[in-house]
Amino acid sequence: MGRCDYAVNVEKLYQSSSHKKNYKGFYQLVFKRFIDILLCIIALPLVLLITIPIAIAIKVEDGGPIFYKSRRLGKGFKEFNMLKFRSMKVNAPDLRNEDGSTYNSQNDSRVTRTGRFIRETSLDELPQFFNVLAGQMSILGPRAGDVESKDTYEEDEKDKTLVRPGISGYSQAYFRNNLSVREKRLYDAWYAHNVSLWLDIKVIFKTVATVLKRENVYTNDEPAKKQ
């Protein structure tokens, strides 16, 4: 199946369920937030334990900061600072693809040795548990877009911001980086309309499988343009 056919299919998928309002339901508005807080509290000791060796490895490698703050778009396009472990060299240039997505290659010289490992294992996302506790994110939800892309959203793509962004989510779990920007946004918009406990359970299992298999981690083989 070609890329154009794939895009048409996700547009049809979104349109077929755009009448649903699950983002207004009890699960999304109340129960899911309770689950987020409970799981974060349970996971916090393990997160802190894993943080220690990662922080040491990052610091020893080049002496730079341990964490990286990325300005992102949350629910209702509200801006917030999303936390990640720093995986790139200090003052690395921002490289983008033609569609505005982040350049992502296995041979990216901007990425540190430690950074490559924590990216491939998704450990760089662990600090986002603190974003979840702060109510800026959910454990599962659409990928938080960067603030620079705020004015590039088409009307149907804006529905992804009807729910909190997630550490993982439908498009990350099932496709990771193997989609265009529009396809990712439409899958996320579809998720917002269809969010449910059963869907989130499936996303959790798929996330685990995707991380263990290290599927679709990299999308670029050719150099991208510097911004």
Side-chain angles (χ1 to χ4, degrees):
M1 182 182 294
R3 174 61 72 189
C4 291
D5 293 332
Y6 211 173
V8 170
N9 284 345
V10 68
E11 288 175 1
K12 289 181 178 179
L13 179 67
Y14 164 78
Q15 291 167 4
S16 69
S17 61
S18 59
H19 63 282
K20 295 184 179 180
K21 309 292 181 184
N22 287 15
Y23 57 87
K24 292 183 177 181
F26 176 80
Y27 170 71
Q28 174 61 32
L29 296 178
V30 180
F31 190 56
K32 187 171 182 177
R33 180 61 185 155
F34 169 77
I35 294 175
D36 280 342
I37 295 173
L38 180 62
L39 291 180
C40 279
I41 292 174
I42 293 173
L44 197 57
L46 179 61
V47 171
L48 293 175
L49 185 64
I50 297 174
T51 293
I52 294 172
I54 293 177
I56 292 173
I58 292 172
K59 202 68 178 177
V60 167
E61 183 165 353
D62 64 6
I66 295 168
F67 298 102
Y68 168 72
K69 292 182 181 179
S70 178
R71 198 69 178 162
R72 296 297 179 107
L73 299 172
K75 183 178 179 181
F77 284 99
K78 185 176 180 180
E79 297 181 13
F80 71 100
N81 287 322
M82 187 177 77
L83 297 175
K84 299 181 76 172
F85 285 122
R86 181 176 60 86
S87 59
M88 288 191 178
K89 297 173 183 178
V90 178
N91 298 321
D94 182 21
L95 300 182
R96 299 279 171 164
N97 297 307
E98 292 290 345
D99 63 358
S101 61
T102 303
Y103 177 72
N104 187 15
S105 170
Q106 187 173 14
N107 300 313
D108 192 340
S109 61
R110 301 172 301 159
V111 180
T112 63
R113 291 191 301 274
T114 301
R116 185 165 290 106
F117 171 75
I118 62 176
R119 278 189 173 195
E120 291 181 352
T121 56
S122 295
L123 291 173
D124 60 327
E125 312 281 0
L126 282 181
Q128 289 164 39
F129 275 96
F130 296 105
N131 289 117
V132 175
L133 282 174
Q136 300 161 329
M137 296 180 66
S138 180
I139 291 176
L140 297 177
R143 187 62 175 169
D146 52 57
V147 295
E148 293 82 6
S149 68
K150 188 173 185 178
D151 297 328
T152 68
Y153 282 73
E154 297 186 32
E155 283 303 313
D156 51 4
E157 297 170 356
K158 292 179 180 178
D159 282 1
K160 69 171 284 185
T161 67
L162 292 169
V163 296
R164 291 185 183 92
I167 298 175
S168 183
Y170 185 85
S171 62
Q172 300 105 291
Y174 283 86
F175 306 101
R176 206 159 187 179
N177 292 313
N178 196 30
L179 292 174
S180 69
V181 170
R182 174 157 175 77
E183 288 165 348
K184 289 178 183 178
R185 290 175 181 176
L186 282 181
Y187 273 118
D188 286 338
W190 173 86
Y191 171 86
H193 283 281
N194 292 273
V195 59
S196 67
L197 176 59
W198 176 237
L199 179 57
D200 278 354
I201 289 173
K202 291 194 290 185
V203 170
I204 288 173
F205 280 103
K206 183 60 178 175
T207 297
V208 173
T210 299
V211 170
L212 291 178
K213 293 178 181 178
R214 301 190 183 184
E215 294 177 336
N216 300 321
V217 177
Y218 302 107
T219 57
N220 295 96
D221 294 319
E222 301 295 332
K225 294 182 178 181
K226 183 183 293 188
Q227 299 293 307

